[in-house]
Amino acid sequence: MKRKTEKKQYVVIGLGRFGRSVAIHLEANGCTVLAIDKNERYVNFVSEYVTRAMCMDMTDEDAVAELGLGNFDGAIVTIGEDTNAAIFAIICAKEQGVKRVIAKASDEMQGKIFRKVGADEIVYPEREMGCHLAKNLAFGNFLDAVELTADYSIAEIPVLNQWVGRNLKELNVREKYRVNVIAVKSAGQLEMSPSADRAFLAEDVLVILGKNEVLKKLSTLI
């Protein structure tokens, strides 16, 4: 695949659930995507969402050599269930000049192997999703929460009933609740750094930053 535009170009190798999601979202966000898998059903499914989809066995050296992987900005290898195929894909991508190779691993041992053969980054989707779910459960009634450090997180919270019709200045949120409201989601729009005079609506969702212990206490008020 030769460069015709300034769009970033990625090859996604392995179209299981995670790989399909990566490929589709990369394309949806303005990237050019080549999606590869040896499962024809997966290839057919993703073909309508990406620039190009190919049915190929990544252990076929001759076929892989013709891909021109060096033209891509990055390769995402998500063949987690077939370690040998994933290793071959990583090696081929690096040998053909791909500067950034990201590999999906199912555990630490597989991750170490992938790094040894050239992967620049390792992702653990199942583990990361488990941590994210645990964080949300720990914060109780929050809609979502993302940990920034061991002590601080950003969380989404539906506006409290007692806050409806009042603004940040009246509520004195920073002093009283020890959190910062960094954005408001309203009617499908995200309003960053809301004005201190903006009155909250019942359907608003607040994006707040604070210490984890404070956020957990705040969640009990919802």
Side-chain angles (χ1 to χ4, degrees), residues 107-184:
D107 54 42
E108 291 288 345
M109 180 58 69
Q110 194 177 56
K112 288 180 180 179
I113 293 171
F114 290 165
R115 280 198 179 276
K116 287 289 187 183
V117 297
D120 301 292
E121 298 175 43
I122 306 296
V123 294
Y124 302 90
E126 290 84 1
R127 184 175 70 185
E128 290 164 7
M129 180 57 70
C131 291
H132 186 67
L133 174 59
K135 170 65 67 176
N136 286 341
L137 291 174
F139 279 124
N141 295 317
F142 284 135
L143 301 177
D144 196 8
V146 177
E147 188 174 61
L148 299 178
T149 70
D151 298 316
Y152 285 87
S153 293
I154 292 177
E156 292 184 7
I157 178 175
V159 68
L160 303 182
N161 291 332
Q162 60 267 38
W163 291 7
V164 175
R166 304 177 68 187
N167 59 42
L168 289 172
K169 185 183 296 183
E170 293 174 312
L171 293 168
N172 197 16
V173 172
R174 183 179 298 177
E175 293 298 326
K176 184 176 180 180
Y177 297 94
R178 292 186 295 147
V179 297
N180 290 308
V181 178
I182 59 177
V184 177

Side-chain angles (χ1 to χ4, degrees), residues 31-73:
C31 299
T32 297
V33 177
L34 168 62
I36 299 173
D37 199 287
K38 65 180 180 180
N39 187 313
E40 188 174 2
R41 182 166 63 90
Y42 291 167
V43 172
N44 290 338
F45 176 84
V46 82
S47 62
E48 62 182 289
Y49 301 103
V50 300
T51 303
R52 188 182 178 193
M54 298 178 62
C55 188
M56 176 186 293
D57 184 344
M58 288 303 294
T59 60
D60 184 339
E61 294 187 45
D62 293 333
V64 173
E66 296 179 1
L67 289 175
L69 295 180
N71 292 321
F72 290 84
D73 294 289

